[in-house]
Every structure is written in structure tokens, then in C-alpha cells.
Amino acid sequence: MAYSATLIPGDGIGPEVVDAAVRVIEATGVAFDWDRQEAGMGAFEDTGDPLPQATLDSIERTRLAFKGPLTTPVGTGFRSINVRIRQHFDLYANVRPCETLPNTHGPFEGVDLVLYRENTEGLYAGIEYFDERNQIADSINRITRTGSERIIRYAFEDALRRGRTRLTLVHKANILKETGGMFLAIGREIAPDFPDIEFDDRIIDNMAMQLVIHPGEYDSIVTTNMFGDILSDLMSGLVGGLGVTGSANIGADCAVFEAVHGSAPDIAGQGVANPTAVIRSGEMMLKYLGEDAAAEAVRRALHDVYADPSKLTRDLGGTATTAEFGDALADRVRAHVAA
């Protein structure tokens, strides 16, 4: 049986890295029926809508999407399509594992962290007001009990599934006593339901410092939307950058897996982009579908290929093109599946 999935190649380098990732995913032997759709700047230029109704309809039908990076105008223009998709399908949990690969030249070895970010509310809910007369702009940091409970509980449950032993809640409850205070209080309420997971908390600024000094002391992290956005990029920097980390957006009955880096239009079409981030997102998609053996084959193949510097893309000091990297990885995946 083939899994039905919406495929969104994206903007800039998106089609190149997604094509390589699809070849790697299909090398596992897991079958997909891809429904290719548009979103982002390319869709806006073609149709006048950066998120066409046909794309939304496809995700409504498949309840599963795999997407490349999308271009979002800075300061003006349309709102982030990533945010719109998350809010439209109530994809409340953003999951960002950060694991060290060989030859990524990060500042630390052996980093293995997972971040759980609330994905639909907080400052990114987009509740903003502008007072033209006084030139004052306001943004509402909306935190709800329902939203807080479900992301914190999801983090505990997923940490257990992954065999993790510690969850750190990150907040700013010392200053934001209502919003941050409620998020922290709910974490403390839920923690006793998971006695096998050690629970603690950190203030956001202290957590940022702790992660760049001794990240090995942490395991899993749960936090609100904006803090999660910042910490997830920081954590990616610990393992080599946004080009080597995957991302999942999970809801009650729908999920979108995507690259976390930008569309890099300056190198689009040159065959030099690193497809690892979207491949690792594909690994997460396989895991989500219960295809654990296939996901493990991709993970092991990545470690194999990264151990040989000659097979890496130019951002990591290698000479492989995007397609060559994808082909080498797909070969290793097939070897692991056959073993």
C-alpha cells in the first residue's frame, strides 16, 4: 500500500533538495503516492496566491505533507506560509531533533537534543495592532491553557517514545508572570503523570547560555512559540547549522514535514545545495508513519555518508552535487534495507 502525501517542492533550492530527498525516501522501499502542489513565492507569482486552495485541499485529503523551503517577504508582503499552514491544520507541535553527524565541524561532539515548540499561538498568532496617530505597534502574546497543556503533554509522551529521560521547560515566568507563569505552572501540574521523565525548568536567557556552554547536560526541551523558534536555530548551530536538521509539524490527525532553512535563491539551480535537512525531515515522516526500520535505514545511511568527506556537498567542504549526495545516500539506504 502506498501512503498518500502532498509534495510541495517550494522555492529557490527547494525543488533540488526535495527531489534528492524523495529518491532517498523511496530507496527504503516504502511507497508513496505523491500529489505535487505549489506554495510560496513561486505560487504567488503564478496564481496570485502564495497558498493556493488546491494545495490546502490536497493536504486536507492526504493529512500528510512533505515540503521544501518557501520564500517569505521580510517586513511587507504576505505572511509566512509555514505559519498559515500550521495554524490552518492546527499543527500544534513543532518537533526539532538536533543530532551530531560526522564531519559537520560543529563546536561540540555528541549533541543529541530534541526541542518541542508550541506551534500555533504566542506572539506568532499574529494578533497585532497599529495606532497610526501615536505610531505605536502592539503584538499580543496569547498563551492558552489548552495550547500549553497539549504541547507539554505531547513533549512528555514523545520523550517517552524516544527513550528519553529528562524534559526541561523553558520560559520567562520571572518577567512574563501571567503568560510564562501559566505555561510553567501547567508543566509542573503535568509532570507527576510521567514519573519516568525527570522534569525541570530554565529561564530562556539562561537556557540560551547553557546550551552554548554544555549542551550535553540537556536532553529534551519544551517551550513556547517564539522561544522555540530561537532555540531551535541555536541548537541547529550546535550540530552544523540549519542545513543538517529536520523538522516536523504535528497535529491531532495531520502532519507536515519540512526543511527548516531558507530557499537560498542565490544558489538555486546550481546543484550545490545540501539536501540533508529535508532528508532528515523525511526520516521523521517515516517514523511518524510507523515505518521505523525505514527511518533507521535513513539515519544510519546519513552517518555512513557523512563519515566520508568526499561525498559531502560544498558547504561541508566536499565536492558532491546535490544529486550526487542524494544518490550516494540512496545507495546506502538500500544497502541497510537489504542487510
Side-chain angles (χ1 to χ4, degrees), residues 116 154-164 197 287:
Y116 302 94
Y154 181 90
F156 272 110
E157 292 171 347
D158 195 63
L160 276 179
R161 285 192 291 268
R162 293 172 180 268
R164 301 211 164 233
I197 302 288
K287 193 82 172 174

Side-chain angles (χ1 to χ4, degrees), residues 187-317:
R188 289 172 173 168
E189 290 171 12
I190 293 174
D193 294 342
F194 299 89
D196 294 330
I197 302 288
E198 177 188 353
F199 176 76
D200 59 5
D201 69 274
R202 294 287 184 275
I203 295 171
I204 176 61
D205 39 329
N206 179 44
M207 189 71 207
M209 181 186 71
Q210 297 291 332
L211 284 173
V212 300
I213 295 175
H214 37 67
E217 294 190 8
Y218 294 90
D219 186 346
S220 302
I221 298 166
V222 62
T223 190
T224 53
N225 206 337
M226 176 170 278
F227 293 161
D229 190 14
I230 295 166
L231 286 184
S232 60
D233 278 22
L234 183 154
M235 288 163 51
S236 292
L238 300 177
V239 298
L242 295 175
V244 296
T245 51
S247 176
N249 301 284
I250 309 293
D253 64 348
C254 183
V256 175
F257 299 83
E258 63 186 0
V260 297
H261 53 69
S263 58
D266 57 319
I267 60 169
Q270 298 177 32
V272 298
N274 185 343
T276 300
V278 71
I279 289 168
R280 297 200 97 166
S281 300
E283 174 193 340
M284 297 177 73
M285 181 172 66
L286 290 166
K287 193 82 172 174
Y288 170 82
L289 293 170
E291 300 286 353
D292 292 356
E296 179 63 12
V298 174
R299 191 191 73 81
R300 291 177 64 188
L302 276 165
H303 280 265
D304 292 347
V305 172
Y306 266 75
D308 183 352
S310 69
K311 290 186 169 63
L312 300 181
T313 47
R314 128 180 138 174
D315 58 307
L316 295 171

Side-chain angles (χ1 to χ4, degrees), residues 89-128:
F89 293 100
D90 200 21
L91 307 177
Y92 65 88
N94 179 244
V95 185
R96 292 276 293 273
C98 290
E99 178 193 16
T100 301
L101 285 167
N103 290 309
T104 48
H105 311 298
F108 299 94
E109 293 295 329
V111 174
D112 185 9
L113 298 164
V114 180
L115 184 133
Y116 302 94
R117 165 190 171 192
E118 201 293 317
N119 217 18
T120 60
E121 50 184 47
L123 283 169
Y124 287 8
I127 306 171
E128 295 191 305

